[in-house]
Amino acid sequence: MGETKRKRGGGPKPKTPETATASMDIDDAAPPPTTEPLSDAGTSQPARRRGRPRKAESANITASPERRSSRHASEQNGDAGAVSSEPPLMVPSWESVARVVPAMDSVVKVFCVHTEPNFSLPWQRKRQYSSSSSGFVIGGRRVLTNAHSVEHHTQVKLKKRGSETKYLATVLAIGTECDIAMLTVSDDEFWEGVSPVEFGELPALQDAVTVVGYPIGGDTISVTSGVVSRMEILSYVHGSTELLGLQIDAAINSGNSGGPAFNDKGTCVGIAFQSLKHEDAENIGYVIPTPVIKHFITDYEKNGAYTGFPIIGIEWQKMENPDLRTSMGMKADQKGVRIRRIEPTAPDSHLLQPSDVILSFDGVNIANDGTVPFRHGERIGFSYLVSQKYTGDSAVVKVLRNSQIFEFNIKLGTHKRLIPAHINGKPPSYYIIGGFVFSAVSVPYLRSEYGKDYDFDAPVKLLDKHLHAMAESADEQLVVVSQVLVADINIGYEDIVNTQVLAFNGKPVKNLKNLATMVESCDDEYLKFDLEYNQMVALQTKTAKAATLDILLTHCIPSAMSDDLKS
């Protein structure tokens, strides 16, 4: 599409061969940069030793200042064994130190234990690991941090600045799209002496910002400063979506995730969440701005849960070519974008049609390049107007159809992807019959199977559906044979891996639960699965169901299907 795309980066765990990073193509001749969520600093810091750190570049170990001064005084007296007397050290008076800014005390350190699902063996989870990140207190006894900081959490603890106590926290809501999570602490002691952070207005370019958090390199709070250098619709790596974002030049490192960004008035203007890593780029960090933060908070307060950012449910084309505009019946003073495709799962998908030209959204005219006026002298993609709405809201859309203007009141809904970007903390679904392990494809599944470069290494058929296919119904899934657990009954099928299941006994497969229901209730002599690439699998029904119990016992699998398929 000619647009710069950032791909999802690694989660908050320490870097391992499985940790995903994301790249953004800027120059073919230059190595690809990495845009990634700010991972934790808890497990990635080098181990510390007691006493003075050892200098790696020097072979000689320098004595501590106390020993050096004592030895020097003894040598001056001509007695190497004598102990010199020194004046007592002055203990600093902490009352004389200036009081810190109250907002600084509202920044907390987040400790999280993660247990990720195992997509290769979906009946179990991976080994747990720990991470640390940042967060800050807001009104209503709540704490905000990044969603990737508490993804797949099993335990979350918070520690205030200057405190030695870690308090158990409860996760209230996780917004995967906007990469924000909301926490709370039940212990009243945690809230004593803590003032909530106040939110400020959207900053302007060149406004000063200060990022506060607990990044790698130390255990105490860290402060870095810079300016707002860019403001536009950004690709949120963790959320696999595009929302308004701020680019700043303040140093942001691992562990800064979830930390607030303050303006010169001491109010919060954003949350640090990802950065750009490249040899030709320095100090490029990204901040979630206050409009996105307030949308997340209001959404939770209105619905009691996070419902997400809505979409119109269309794919559109720019109308910058004059011949294209005249062929669509547009007048010289008309501007807009052409609808290419419409999501079948959109609430009001029947109102709009392909080749309609959207002229305005809620009374705001859309330019031929898909932008709308933003602020004085600035323009932004019209998806910003859509993201300001809430799930279930309506918007007035003016379209040009066959040289006539129509207005429709469109209901906005959340995006239903055929291959979802997240599984929202739920364990993966699976179904086993005759050693065949069936799974539903998601982006985390592809990343687990093919690594961080899954968009290059995954099968072309799956990538095509991931990038271009639309779900025909809200419960549609892409079901594949994940692997074949070798047994006598499935001889010759061992090489079938990650191949889509199209039909079972002549009936199309709608989703994984639909497949499990059809197989379990099948009374035919054979189980016949039609796969992609015109492959076919046939198993005797009675033999396959009997062999499944032995296969489960051999591989220590507790059940032939996940819990969500049993209900």
Side-chain angles (χ1 to χ4, degrees):
M1 295 296 295
E3 298 178 355
T4 302
K5 294 185 179 179
R6 298 182 180 86
K7 307 178 184 70
R8 186 189 186 279
K13 71 178 189 177
K15 294 183 178 179
T16 66
E18 295 182 355
T19 303
T21 56
S23 62
M24 178 180 64
D25 295 330
I26 293 179
D27 188 349
D28 292 338
T34 300
T35 308
E36 54 188 10
L38 302 175
S39 59
D40 57 271
T43 54
S44 58
Q45 297 188 34
R48 289 184 172 80
R49 303 176 178 85
R50 297 179 60 86
R52 186 179 179 87
R54 184 188 308 170
K55 294 184 178 179
E57 66 272 13
S58 175
N60 300 323
I61 301 177
T62 308
S64 64
E66 293 82 359
R67 293 181 178 177
R68 185 168 60 248
S69 59
S70 300
R71 183 175 59 198
H72 180 65
S74 301
E75 291 173 352
Q76 282 184 334
N77 295 332
D79 185 2
V83 178
S84 64
S85 60
E86 296 183 355
L89 295 174
M90 296 297 294
V91 179
S93 175
W94 298 111
E95 288 79 3
S96 62
V97 179
R99 187 177 183 276
V100 296
V101 180
M104 205 80 74
D105 290 337
S106 302
V107 183
V108 298
K109 192 168 186 177
V110 181
F111 299 87
C112 184
V113 178
H114 310 260
T115 308
E116 291 186 346
N118 190 335
F119 290 93
S120 298
L121 306 173
W123 47 87
Q124 65 185 35
R125 287 182 174 265
K126 294 182 181 179
R127 185 183 183 92
Q128 68 180 21
Y129 64 93
S130 302
S131 72
S132 69
S133 55
S134 307
F136 61 96
V137 177
I138 62 172
R141 293 166 64 99
R142 295 170 297 184
V143 175
L144 291 185
T145 186
N146 280 145
H148 72 260
S149 298
V150 294
E151 187 180 27
H152 305 304
H153 64 279
T154 54
Q155 186 185 74
V156 181
K157 292 182 288 187
L158 305 180
K159 187 171 75 170
K160 297 191 294 183
R161 181 173 183 262
S163 173
E164 76 283 357
T165 306
K166 296 178 182 177
Y167 300 87
L168 284 175
T170 303
V171 178
L172 297 177
I174 295 181
T176 52
E177 294 167 305
C178 57
D179 202 1
I180 304 176
M182 182 184 294
L183 320 174
T184 189
V185 176
S186 58
D187 195 336
D188 294 334
E189 182 183 350
F190 175 82
W191 305 102
E192 295 177 359
V194 178
S195 301
V197 167
E198 295 183 0
F199 291 104
E201 297 298 325
L202 194 64
L205 296 181
Q206 294 187 328
D207 278 2
V209 289
T210 301
V211 178
V212 183
Y214 293 87
I216 186 174
D219 294 325
T220 57
I221 201 165
S222 169
V223 179
T224 56
S225 60
V227 298
V228 177
S229 52
R230 182 177 294 164
M231 188 182 311
E232 62 182 357
I233 301 296
L234 294 176
S235 175
Y236 281 43
V237 173
H238 178 75
S240 298
T241 188
E242 292 185 346
L243 295 169
L244 182 67
L246 304 180
Q247 177 183 318
I248 63 174
D249 65 350
I252 297 180
N253 299 295
S254 297
N256 269 121
S257 292
F262 296 105
N263 60 15
D264 52 4
K265 297 179 181 178
T267 57
C268 177
V269 296
I271 303 175
F273 75 115
Q274 65 187 32
S275 60
L276 180 67
K277 304 295 184 184
H278 187 254
E279 61 180 6
D280 295 332
E282 295 181 359
N283 290 348
I284 295 182
Y286 297 99
V287 171
I288 305 171
T290 48
V292 178
I293 301 172
K294 291 179 180 178
H295 187 286
F296 170 81
I297 297 174
T298 305
D299 185 14
Y300 175 79
E301 292 174 347
K302 286 175 57 178
N303 303 292
Y306 172 77
T307 62
F309 288 76
I311 62 167
I312 302 181
I314 62 169
E315 289 182 357
W316 53 272
Q317 174 187 359
K318 295 180 181 181
M319 299 286 290
E320 295 176 311
N321 186 275
D323 293 339
L324 177 61
R325 293 197 297 271
T326 54
S327 69
M328 298 298 296
M330 296 178 66
K331 298 179 181 178
D333 59 341
Q334 289 179 328
K335 298 179 180 179
V337 293
R338 174 184 172 271
I339 296 178
R340 294 196 296 118
R341 292 198 300 170
I342 302 173
E343 294 270 3
T345 57
D348 288 332
S349 59
H350 61 283
L351 295 178
L352 300 176
Q353 297 179 6
S355 290
D356 281 352
V357 178
I358 300 181
L359 304 177
S360 67
F361 180 88
D362 260 356
V364 181
N365 293 329
I366 302 175
N368 293 324
D369 61 351
T371 61
V372 294
F374 181 48
R375 296 192 299 192
H376 180 69
E378 298 179 74
R379 299 189 67 85
I380 198 168
F382 85 95
S383 62
Y384 170 71
L385 300 178
V386 183
S387 67
Q388 294 297 97
K389 298 282 188 175
Y390 294 89
T391 302
D393 286 357
S394 297
V396 178
V397 177
K398 183 187 292 186
V399 301
L400 179 69
R401 180 185 300 169
N402 298 327
S403 301
Q404 295 182 347
I405 295 178
F406 298 89
E407 283 192 357
F408 298 106
N409 200 24
I410 303 294
K411 186 177 181 180
L412 305 177
T414 54
H415 192 187
K416 172 61 180 74
R417 293 184 172 96
L418 178 61
I419 298 181
H422 292 272
I423 59 174
N424 298 323
K426 300 176 183 177
S429 301
Y430 70 92
Y431 175 67
I432 302 175
I433 183 71
F436 286 80
V437 181
F438 299 94
S439 300
V441 179
S442 63
V443 172
Y445 176 89
L446 294 176
R447 188 178 294 109
S448 173
E449 290 289 302
Y450 300 102
K452 63 181 181 180
D453 295 326
Y454 69 89
D455 47 351
F456 296 101
D457 298 333
V460 175
K461 293 273 190 180
L462 292 182
L463 288 179
D464 179 66
K465 291 179 173 62
H466 168 50
L467 296 174
H468 305 294
M470 292 181 174
E472 295 295 329
S473 61
D475 58 350
E476 184 179 359
Q477 292 178 321
L478 196 152
V479 180
V480 296
V481 178
S482 174
Q483 60 176 314
V484 179
L485 304 176
V486 177
D488 293 344
I489 192 173
N490 53 47
I491 289 177
Y493 297 137
E494 301 91 342
D495 296 333
I496 299 178
V497 178
N498 291 328
T499 305
Q500 184 182 358
V501 183
L502 301 178
F504 170 74
N505 284 359
K507 298 179 181 179
V509 175
K510 186 177 182 181
N511 52 49
L512 188 57
K513 188 171 184 177
N514 170 244
L515 174 64
T517 302
M518 289 192 296
V519 174
E520 290 295 312
S521 60
C522 180
D523 295 328
D524 296 347
E525 182 179 1
Y526 289 97
L527 305 174
K528 295 182 180 180
F529 302 91
D530 296 325
L531 308 182
E532 193 73 84
Y533 309 108
N534 296 320
Q535 295 186 83
M536 182 174 145
V537 170
L539 301 171
Q540 277 195 344
T541 303
K542 292 183 179 180
T543 309
K545 292 183 177 181
T548 300
L549 298 177
D550 293 334
I551 294 173
L552 297 180
L553 185 63
T554 301
H555 293 272
C556 301
I557 302 174
S559 176
M561 65 179 71
S562 54
D563 292 338
D564 61 317
L565 301 183
K566 298 177 182 178
S567 58

